[in-house]
Amino acid sequence: YDTDTAFVGMKFNVTVNVNNVVNLAGVQLYMDFDDAVINFTRWFVPSPNIFTPKTTSALPTPPDGNYQHLVGKGKILLSLSLFPTPPTQPPVTGSGAVAIVEFIVKVLPPKLGFLTSQLHINTADTYLLDDQGVEIVCTKNDDTYTLTWKAPASPKMGFTPGNKIFGPDPPTV
């Protein structure tokens, strides 16, 4: 983002996806970020999602994301799983969205500067579970939010003044 399009109070979404997963029954997502720059507002389960058309349980119940402020960062912890659990519903295989997390811009960068926040999910608290409750080995990719200062457009005059030529003889003003 840049200051030409972003503003304090602007909301934006981050979609969390899983790709090429086999035998998926549940997902837990931990994310931390710089809550002096951006902050969590809510989360929801997209439709469709990785589990569509099966029924799921989302915890905490959206829009609550279990937001907590820690020293120098904010964090959220949420989960989505099949409910009822396997074997009542078989696990899923494939790719798709798990959650959409909404953030709000808290501050703008200084002139000629930028602000950034890691969206950090690569932790032991983010994991996928199979139908036996065993963790599925996967790669967890962090992402980055950046807001860059952009020079404002040149101002436009409300009128275009014409040229007036004054002669050498008085009483021209």
Side-chain angles (χ1 to χ4, degrees), residues 9-86:
M10 182 187 88
K11 295 177 181 175
F12 65 95
N13 292 336
V14 173
T15 302
V16 179
N17 293 299
V18 294
N19 294 313
N20 303 317
V21 68
V22 176
N23 203 26
L24 180 68
V27 178
Q28 177 172 292
L29 172 67
Y30 166 93
M31 182 186 298
D32 63 52
F33 48 90
D34 184 345
D35 61 359
V37 174
I38 58 175
N39 210 348
F40 169 81
T41 57
R42 67 186 182 126
W43 83 285
F44 53 95
V45 178
S47 181
N49 62 68
I50 185 67
F51 295 110
T52 301
K54 301 172 189 287
T55 58
T56 58
S57 174
L59 294 173
T61 304
D64 177 19
N66 193 28
Y67 167 76
Q68 293 180 7
H69 174 75
L70 306 173
V71 176
K73 65 183 173 183
K75 76 164 193 156
I76 57 171
L77 183 65
L78 43 103
S79 67
L80 182 65
S81 60
L82 290 172
F83 187 79
T85 60

Coordinates of all heavy atoms in Angstrom, one line a residue, residues 9-86:
G9 N -7.4 4.2 9.5 CA -8.8 3.7 9.6 C -9.2 2.8 8.5 O -10.2 2.2 8.5
M10 N -8.4 2.7 7.4 CA -8.7 1.9 6.3 C -8.6 0.4 6.7 O -7.6 0.0 7.4 CB -7.7 2.1 5.1 CG -8.0 1.3 3.9 SD -6.8 1.4 2.6 CE -5.6 0.1 3.1
K11 N -9.5 -0.4 6.3 CA -9.5 -1.8 6.6 C -9.0 -2.6 5.3 O -9.3 -2.2 4.2 CB -10.8 -2.3 7.0 CG -11.2 -1.7 8.4 CD -12.6 -2.1 8.8 CE -13.0 -1.4 10.1 NZ -14.4 -1.7 10.5
F12 N -8.3 -3.7 5.6 CA -7.9 -4.6 4.5 C -7.9 -6.0 5.0 O -7.8 -6.3 6.2 CB -6.5 -4.2 3.9 CG -5.4 -4.3 4.9 CD1 -4.6 -5.5 4.9 CD2 -5.1 -3.3 5.8 CE1 -3.6 -5.7 5.8 CE2 -4.0 -3.5 6.7 CZ -3.3 -4.7 6.7
N13 N -8.0 -6.9 4.0 CA -8.1 -8.4 4.4 C -6.9 -9.1 4.0 O -6.2 -8.8 3.0 CB -9.3 -9.0 3.6 CG -10.6 -8.5 4.2 OD1 -10.8 -8.0 5.3 ND2 -11.7 -8.5 3.3
V14 N -6.6 -10.1 4.8 CA -5.5 -11.1 4.5 C -6.2 -12.5 4.4 O -6.8 -12.9 5.4 CB -4.4 -11.1 5.5 CG1 -3.4 -12.2 5.3 CG2 -3.7 -9.7 5.6
T15 N -6.1 -13.2 3.3 CA -6.6 -14.5 3.2 C -5.6 -15.6 3.5 O -4.5 -15.5 2.9 CB -7.2 -14.7 1.8 OG1 -8.2 -13.7 1.5 CG2 -7.9 -16.1 1.7
V16 N -5.9 -16.5 4.4 CA -5.0 -17.6 4.7 C -5.4 -18.8 4.0 O -6.6 -19.2 4.1 CB -4.9 -17.8 6.2 CG1 -4.0 -19.0 6.6 CG2 -4.6 -16.5 7.0
N17 N -4.5 -19.4 3.2 CA -4.8 -20.6 2.4 C -4.0 -21.8 2.8 O -2.9 -21.6 3.3 CB -4.5 -20.3 0.9 CG -5.5 -19.2 0.3 OD1 -6.7 -19.4 0.3 ND2 -4.9 -18.1 -0.1
V18 N -4.5 -23.0 2.4 CA -3.6 -24.2 2.4 C -3.6 -24.7 1.0 O -4.6 -24.5 0.2 CB -4.2 -25.2 3.4 CG1 -4.1 -24.8 4.8 CG2 -5.6 -25.6 3.1
N19 N -2.4 -25.3 0.6 CA -2.3 -25.7 -0.7 C -1.8 -27.2 -0.7 O -0.9 -27.6 0.0 CB -1.2 -24.9 -1.5 CG -1.7 -23.5 -1.7 OD1 -2.8 -23.3 -2.1 ND2 -0.8 -22.5 -1.4
N20 N -2.4 -28.0 -1.6 CA -2.1 -29.4 -1.8 C -2.0 -30.2 -0.5 O -1.0 -30.9 -0.3 CB -0.7 -29.4 -2.6 CG -0.8 -28.7 -3.9 OD1 -1.8 -28.8 -4.6 ND2 0.2 -27.9 -4.2
V21 N -3.0 -30.1 0.3 CA -3.0 -30.8 1.6 C -3.8 -32.1 1.3 O -4.7 -32.2 0.5 CB -3.7 -30.0 2.7 CG1 -5.1 -29.7 2.4 CG2 -3.4 -30.6 4.0
V22 N -3.4 -33.1 2.1 CA -4.0 -34.4 2.0 C -4.5 -34.8 3.4 O -3.8 -34.7 4.4 CB -3.0 -35.5 1.5 CG1 -3.6 -36.9 1.5 CG2 -2.5 -35.1 0.1
N23 N -5.8 -35.3 3.5 CA -6.3 -35.8 4.7 C -6.5 -34.8 5.8 O -6.2 -35.0 7.0 CB -5.4 -37.0 5.2 CG -6.2 -38.0 6.1 OD1 -7.4 -38.1 6.0 ND2 -5.4 -38.6 7.0
L24 N -6.9 -33.6 5.5 CA -7.1 -32.5 6.4 C -8.4 -32.5 7.2 O -9.4 -32.7 6.6 CB -7.0 -31.1 5.6 CG -7.1 -29.9 6.5 CD1 -5.9 -29.7 7.4 CD2 -7.2 -28.6 5.6
A25 N -8.3 -32.4 8.5 CA -9.5 -32.4 9.4 C -9.6 -31.1 10.2 O -10.6 -30.8 10.6 CB -9.5 -33.6 10.3
G26 N -8.4 -30.4 10.4 CA -8.5 -29.2 11.1 C -7.2 -28.3 11.0 O -6.2 -28.8 10.6
V27 N -7.4 -27.0 11.2 CA -6.4 -26.0 11.1 C -6.4 -25.1 12.3 O -7.4 -24.7 12.7 CB -6.6 -25.1 9.8 CG1 -5.5 -24.1 9.7 CG2 -6.6 -26.0 8.6
Q28 N -5.2 -24.8 12.9 CA -5.1 -23.8 13.9 C -4.1 -22.8 13.3 O -3.1 -23.1 12.8 CB -4.5 -24.3 15.2 CG -4.3 -23.2 16.2 CD -4.0 -23.7 17.6 OE1 -4.8 -24.3 18.3 NE2 -2.8 -23.4 18.0
L29 N -4.5 -21.5 13.5 CA -3.7 -20.4 12.9 C -3.3 -19.4 14.1 O -4.2 -18.9 14.8 CB -4.5 -19.6 11.9 CG -3.9 -18.3 11.4 CD1 -2.6 -18.6 10.6 CD2 -4.8 -17.5 10.6
Y30 N -2.0 -19.3 14.3 CA -1.5 -18.3 15.1 C -0.8 -17.2 14.2 O -0.1 -17.6 13.3 CB -0.4 -18.9 16.1 CG 0.4 -17.8 16.8 CD1 0.1 -17.4 18.0 CD2 1.6 -17.3 16.2 CE1 0.8 -16.4 18.7 CE2 2.3 -16.3 16.8 CZ 2.0 -15.9 18.1 OH 2.7 -14.9 18.7
M31 N -1.1 -15.9 14.5 CA -0.5 -14.9 13.7 C -0.1 -13.8 14.7 O -0.9 -13.3 15.5 CB -1.4 -14.4 12.6 CG -0.8 -13.3 11.7 SD -1.9 -12.5 10.5 CE -2.4 -13.9 9.5
D32 N 1.2 -13.3 14.6 CA 1.5 -12.1 15.3 C 1.9 -11.0 14.3 O 2.3 -11.3 13.2 CB 2.5 -12.3 16.4 CG 3.9 -12.8 15.9 OD1 4.5 -12.2 15.0 OD2 4.4 -13.8 16.5
F33 N 1.8 -9.7 14.7 CA 2.0 -8.6 13.9 C 2.3 -7.4 14.7 O 2.1 -7.4 15.9 CB 0.8 -8.3 13.0 CG -0.5 -8.4 13.8 CD1 -1.0 -7.2 14.4 CD2 -1.1 -9.6 14.1 CE1 -2.1 -7.2 15.2 CE2 -2.3 -9.6 14.9 CZ -2.8 -8.4 15.4
D34 N 2.8 -6.3 14.1 CA 3.1 -5.1 14.8 C 1.8 -4.3 15.0 O 1.4 -3.6 14.1 CB 4.2 -4.3 14.1 CG 4.6 -3.0 14.8 OD1 3.9 -2.6 15.8 OD2 5.6 -2.4 14.4
D35 N 1.2 -4.4 16.2 CA 0.0 -3.7 16.4 C 0.1 -2.2 16.7 O -0.9 -1.5 17.0 CB -0.9 -4.4 17.5 CG -0.2 -4.4 18.9 OD1 0.9 -4.0 19.0 OD2 -0.9 -5.0 19.8
A36 N 1.3 -1.6 16.6 CA 1.4 -0.2 16.6 C 1.2 0.3 15.1 O 1.0 1.5 14.9 CB 2.8 0.2 17.1
V37 N 1.3 -0.5 14.1 CA 1.2 -0.1 12.7 C -0.2 -0.5 12.2 O -0.8 0.3 11.5 CB 2.3 -0.8 11.9 CG1 2.2 -0.5 10.4 CG2 3.7 -0.4 12.4
I38 N -0.6 -1.8 12.4 CA -1.9 -2.3 12.0 C -2.5 -3.0 13.2 O -1.8 -3.4 14.1 CB -1.8 -3.3 10.8 CG1 -0.9 -4.4 11.1 CG2 -1.3 -2.5 9.6 CD1 -0.8 -5.5 10.0
N39 N -3.8 -3.2 13.2 CA -4.4 -4.0 14.2 C -5.5 -4.9 13.7 O -6.1 -4.6 12.7 CB -4.9 -3.1 15.4 CG -4.9 -3.8 16.7 OD1 -4.7 -5.0 16.8 ND2 -5.1 -3.1 17.8
F40 N -5.7 -6.0 14.4 CA -6.8 -6.9 14.1 C -8.1 -6.3 14.4 O -8.3 -5.6 15.4 CB -6.6 -8.2 14.9 CG -7.7 -9.1 14.9 CD1 -7.9 -10.0 13.8 CD2 -8.7 -9.2 15.9 CE1 -8.9 -10.9 13.8 CE2 -9.7 -10.0 15.9 CZ -9.9 -10.9 14.8
T41 N -9.1 -6.5 13.5 CA -10.5 -6.1 13.7 C -11.5 -7.3 13.8 O -12.3 -7.3 14.7 CB -11.0 -5.1 12.7 OG1 -10.9 -5.7 11.4 CG2 -10.2 -3.8 12.7
R42 N -11.3 -8.3 12.9 CA -12.2 -9.4 13.0 C -11.7 -10.5 12.0 O -10.7 -10.3 11.2 CB -13.6 -9.0 12.5 CG -13.7 -8.6 11.1 CD -15.1 -8.1 10.8 NE -15.2 -7.8 9.3 CZ -16.1 -8.3 8.5 NH1 -17.1 -9.1 9.0 NH2 -16.1 -7.9 7.3
W43 N -12.3 -11.7 12.1 CA -12.0 -12.7 11.1 C -13.3 -13.4 10.8 O -14.3 -13.3 11.5 CB -10.9 -13.7 11.7 CG -11.5 -14.8 12.6 CD1 -11.9 -14.6 13.9 CD2 -11.7 -16.2 12.3 NE1 -12.3 -15.8 14.4 CE2 -12.2 -16.8 13.4 CE3 -11.4 -16.9 11.1 CZ2 -12.5 -18.2 13.5 CZ3 -11.7 -18.3 11.2 CH2 -12.2 -18.9 12.3
F44 N -13.2 -14.1 9.6 CA -14.4 -14.9 9.2 C -14.0 -16.0 8.4 O -12.8 -16.1 7.8 CB -15.5 -14.0 8.6 CG -15.0 -13.2 7.4 CD1 -15.2 -13.7 6.1 CD2 -14.5 -11.9 7.6 CE1 -14.8 -12.9 5.0 CE2 -14.1 -11.1 6.6 CZ -14.3 -11.6 5.3
V45 N -14.8 -17.0 8.3 CA -14.6 -18.2 7.4 C -15.2 -17.9 6.1 O -16.3 -17.6 5.9 CB -15.3 -19.4 8.0 CG1 -15.0 -20.7 7.2 CG2 -14.8 -19.7 9.5
P46 N -14.3 -17.9 5.0 CA -14.8 -17.6 3.7 C -15.7 -18.7 3.1 O -15.7 -19.9 3.6 CB -13.5 -17.5 2.9 CG -12.5 -18.4 3.6 CD -12.9 -18.3 5.0
S47 N -16.5 -18.4 2.2 CA -17.4 -19.3 1.5 C -17.2 -19.1 0.0 O -17.5 -18.1 -0.5 CB -18.8 -19.1 1.9 OG -19.7 -20.1 1.3
P48 N -16.6 -20.1 -0.7 CA -16.3 -21.5 -0.2 C -14.9 -21.4 0.5 O -14.2 -20.4 0.5 CB -16.1 -22.3 -1.5 CG -15.7 -21.3 -2.5 CD -16.4 -20.0 -2.1
N49 N -14.6 -22.5 1.2 CA -13.4 -22.7 1.9 C -12.9 -24.1 1.7 O -13.5 -24.9 1.0 CB -13.5 -22.3 3.4 CG -14.5 -23.3 4.1 OD1 -14.2 -24.5 4.3 ND2 -15.6 -22.7 4.6
I50 N -11.7 -24.4 2.3 CA -11.1 -25.7 2.0 C -12.0 -26.9 2.4 O -12.0 -27.9 1.8 CB -9.7 -25.9 2.8 CG1 -9.0 -27.2 2.5 CG2 -9.9 -25.7 4.3 CD1 -8.5 -27.3 1.1
F51 N -12.9 -26.7 3.4 CA -13.8 -27.7 3.8 C -15.2 -27.8 3.1 O -16.0 -28.7 3.3 CB -14.0 -27.6 5.3 CG -12.8 -27.9 6.1 CD1 -12.2 -26.8 6.8 CD2 -12.2 -29.1 6.2 CE1 -11.1 -27.0 7.6 CE2 -11.1 -29.4 7.0 CZ -10.5 -28.3 7.7
T52 N -15.5 -26.8 2.3 CA -16.8 -26.8 1.6 C -17.0 -28.1 0.8 O -16.1 -28.5 0.1 CB -16.9 -25.5 0.7 OG1 -16.7 -24.4 1.5 CG2 -18.2 -25.4 -0.1
P53 N -18.1 -28.7 0.8 CA -19.4 -28.4 1.4 C -19.6 -29.0 2.8 O -20.8 -29.0 3.3 CB -20.4 -28.9 0.4 CG -19.8 -30.2 0.0 CD -18.3 -29.9 0.0
K54 N -18.6 -29.5 3.5 CA -18.8 -30.1 4.8 C -19.1 -29.0 5.9 O -18.8 -27.9 5.7 CB -17.5 -30.9 5.1 CG -17.2 -32.0 4.1 CD -15.9 -32.6 4.4 CE -15.4 -33.5 3.3 NZ -16.1 -34.8 3.2
T55 N -19.6 -29.5 7.0 CA -19.8 -28.6 8.1 C -18.6 -28.5 9.0 O -17.8 -29.4 9.1 CB -21.0 -29.0 9.0 OG1 -20.8 -30.3 9.5 CG2 -22.3 -29.0 8.2
T56 N -18.4 -27.3 9.6 CA -17.2 -27.0 10.4 C -17.5 -26.3 11.7 O -18.7 -25.8 11.9 CB -16.2 -26.1 9.6 OG1 -16.9 -24.9 9.2 CG2 -15.7 -26.8 8.3
S57 N -16.5 -26.2 12.5 CA -16.6 -25.5 13.7 C -15.4 -24.5 13.7 O -14.3 -24.9 13.5 CB -16.5 -26.4 15.0 OG -16.4 -25.6 16.1
A58 N -15.7 -23.2 14.0 CA -14.7 -22.2 14.0 C -14.6 -21.7 15.4 O -15.6 -21.3 16.1 CB -15.1 -21.0 13.1
L59 N -13.4 -21.6 15.9 CA -13.1 -21.2 17.3 C -11.9 -20.2 17.3 O -10.9 -20.4 16.6 CB -12.8 -22.3 18.2 CG -13.9 -23.3 18.4 CD1 -13.4 -24.5 19.2 CD2 -15.0 -22.7 19.2
P60 N -12.0 -19.1 18.1 CA -13.2 -18.6 18.7 C -14.2 -18.2 17.6 O -13.9 -18.0 16.5 CB -12.8 -17.4 19.5 CG -11.5 -16.9 18.8 CD -10.9 -18.1 18.2
T61 N -15.5 -18.1 18.0 CA -16.5 -17.9 17.1 C -16.3 -16.5 16.4 O -16.1 -15.5 17.1 CB -17.9 -17.8 17.8 OG1 -18.1 -19.1 18.4 CG2 -19.0 -17.6 16.8
P62 N -16.2 -16.5 15.0 CA -16.0 -15.2 14.4 C -17.1 -14.2 14.7 O -18.2 -14.6 15.0 CB -16.1 -15.6 12.9 CG -15.8 -17.0 12.8 CD -16.3 -17.6 14.1
P63 N -16.7 -13.0 14.9 CA -15.5 -12.3 14.4 C -14.4 -12.2 15.5 O -13.4 -11.7 15.2 CB -16.0 -10.9 14.1 CG -17.1 -10.6 15.1 CD -17.8 -12.0 15.3
D64 N -14.6 -12.8 16.7 CA -13.6 -12.8 17.7 C -12.4 -13.6 17.3 O -12.5 -14.7 16.9 CB -14.2 -13.4 19.0 CG -13.2 -13.5 20.1 OD1 -12.2 -12.8 20.1 OD2 -13.5 -14.3 21.1
G65 N -11.2 -13.0 17.4 CA -10.0 -13.7 17.0 C -9.1 -13.9 18.1 O -7.9 -14.2 17.9
N66 N -9.6 -13.8 19.4 CA -8.7 -14.0 20.5 C -7.5 -13.1 20.5 O -6.4 -13.5 20.8 CB -8.3 -15.5 20.7 CG -7.8 -15.8 22.0 OD1 -8.1 -15.2 23.0 ND2 -6.9 -16.8 22.1
Y67 N -7.7 -11.8 20.1 CA -6.6 -10.8 20.0 C -6.1 -10.6 21.4 O -6.8 -10.4 22.4 CB -7.1 -9.5 19.4 CG -6.2 -8.4 19.6 CD1 -5.0 -8.3 18.8 CD2 -6.3 -7.4 20.6 CE1 -4.1 -7.3 19.0 CE2 -5.4 -6.4 20.7 CZ -4.3 -6.4 19.9 OH -3.4 -5.3 20.1
Q68 N -4.7 -10.5 21.4 CA -4.0 -10.2 22.7 C -2.9 -9.3 22.3 O -2.2 -9.5 21.3 CB -3.5 -11.4 23.4 CG -4.6 -12.3 23.9 CD -4.0 -13.5 24.6 OE1 -2.8 -13.6 24.8 NE2 -4.9 -14.4 25.0
H69 N -2.6 -8.3 23.1 CA -1.4 -7.4 23.0 C -0.3 -8.0 23.8 O -0.5 -8.1 25.0 CB -1.7 -6.0 23.3 CG -0.5 -5.1 23.3 ND1 0.0 -4.7 22.1 CD2 0.3 -4.6 24.3 CE1 1.1 -4.0 22.4 NE2 1.3 -3.9 23.7
L70 N 0.8 -8.3 23.2 CA 2.0 -8.7 23.9 C 3.0 -7.6 23.8 O 2.8 -6.5 23.2 CB 2.6 -10.0 23.2 CG 1.6 -11.1 23.1 CD1 2.2 -12.2 22.3 CD2 1.2 -11.6 24.4
V71 N 4.2 -7.7 24.4 CA 5.2 -6.6 24.3 C 5.6 -6.5 22.9 O 6.2 -7.4 22.3 CB 6.4 -7.0 25.2 CG1 7.5 -5.9 25.1 CG2 6.0 -7.1 26.7
G72 N 5.3 -5.3 22.3 CA 5.8 -5.0 20.9 C 5.0 -5.6 19.8 O 5.4 -5.5 18.7
K73 N 3.9 -6.4 20.1 CA 3.2 -7.0 19.0 C 1.8 -7.4 19.5 O 1.5 -7.6 20.7 CB 3.9 -8.2 18.5 CG 4.1 -9.4 19.5 CD 4.9 -10.5 18.9 CE 5.3 -11.5 19.9 NZ 6.1 -12.6 19.4
G74 N 1.0 -7.7 18.5 CA -0.4 -8.2 18.8 C -0.4 -9.6 18.2 O 0.4 -10.0 17.4
K75 N -1.3 -10.4 18.7 CA -1.4 -11.8 18.2 C -2.9 -12.2 18.2 O -3.7 -11.7 18.9 CB -0.6 -12.8 19.0 CG -1.2 -13.1 20.4 CD -0.6 -14.4 21.0 CE -1.5 -14.8 22.1 NZ -1.4 -16.2 22.4
I76 N -3.2 -13.1 17.3 CA -4.5 -13.8 17.2 C -4.3 -15.3 17.1 O -3.2 -15.8 16.7 CB -5.3 -13.3 16.0 CG1 -4.6 -13.5 14.7 CG2 -5.7 -11.8 16.2 CD1 -5.4 -13.3 13.5
L77 N -5.3 -16.0 17.6 CA -5.3 -17.5 17.6 C -6.7 -17.9 17.2 O -7.6 -17.6 17.9 CB -4.8 -18.0 18.9 CG -4.7 -19.5 19.0 CD1 -3.5 -20.0 18.1 CD2 -4.4 -20.0 20.5
L78 N -6.8 -18.7 16.1 CA -8.1 -19.1 15.7 C -8.0 -20.5 15.1 O -6.9 -21.0 14.7 CB -8.7 -18.1 14.7 CG -7.9 -17.5 13.6 CD1 -8.1 -18.2 12.3 CD2 -8.1 -16.0 13.6
S79 N -9.1 -21.2 14.9 CA -9.1 -22.5 14.3 C -10.4 -22.8 13.5 O -11.4 -22.2 13.8 CB -8.9 -23.6 15.4 OG -10.1 -23.6 16.2
L80 N -10.2 -23.7 12.6 CA -11.3 -24.2 11.8 C -11.2 -25.7 11.6 O -10.1 -26.2 11.3 CB -11.3 -23.5 10.4 CG -12.5 -23.9 9.5 CD1 -13.8 -23.4 10.1 CD2 -12.3 -23.2 8.1
S81 N -12.2 -26.5 12.0 CA -12.1 -27.9 11.8 C -13.4 -28.5 11.4 O -14.5 -27.9 11.6 CB -11.6 -28.5 13.2 OG -12.6 -28.2 14.2
L82 N -13.4 -29.7 10.9 CA -14.6 -30.5 10.6 C -15.4 -30.7 11.9 O -14.8 -31.1 12.9 CB -14.2 -31.8 10.0 CG -13.6 -31.8 8.6 CD1 -13.1 -33.2 8.2 CD2 -14.6 -31.2 7.6
F83 N -16.7 -30.5 11.8 CA -17.6 -30.8 12.9 C -18.9 -31.3 12.4 O -19.6 -30.5 11.7 CB -17.7 -29.6 13.8 CG -18.5 -30.0 15.1 CD1 -17.9 -30.6 16.1 CD2 -19.9 -29.7 15.2 CE1 -18.6 -31.0 17.3 CE2 -20.6 -30.1 16.3 CZ -19.9 -30.7 17.4
P84 N -19.4 -32.5 12.6 CA -18.7 -33.5 13.4 C -17.4 -34.0 12.8 O -17.2 -33.9 11.6 CB -19.7 -34.6 13.6 CG -20.7 -34.4 12.5 CD -20.6 -33.0 12.0
T85 N -16.6 -34.5 13.7 CA -15.2 -34.9 13.3 C -15.2 -36.2 12.6 O -16.2 -37.0 12.7 CB -14.3 -35.0 14.6 OG1 -14.9 -35.9 15.5 CG2 -14.2 -33.7 15.3
P86 N -14.1 -36.5 11.9 CA -14.0 -37.9 11.3 C -14.1 -38.9 12.3 O -13.8 -38.7 13.5 CB -12.6 -37.8 10.7 CG -12.3 -36.4 10.5 CD -13.0 -35.7 11.6

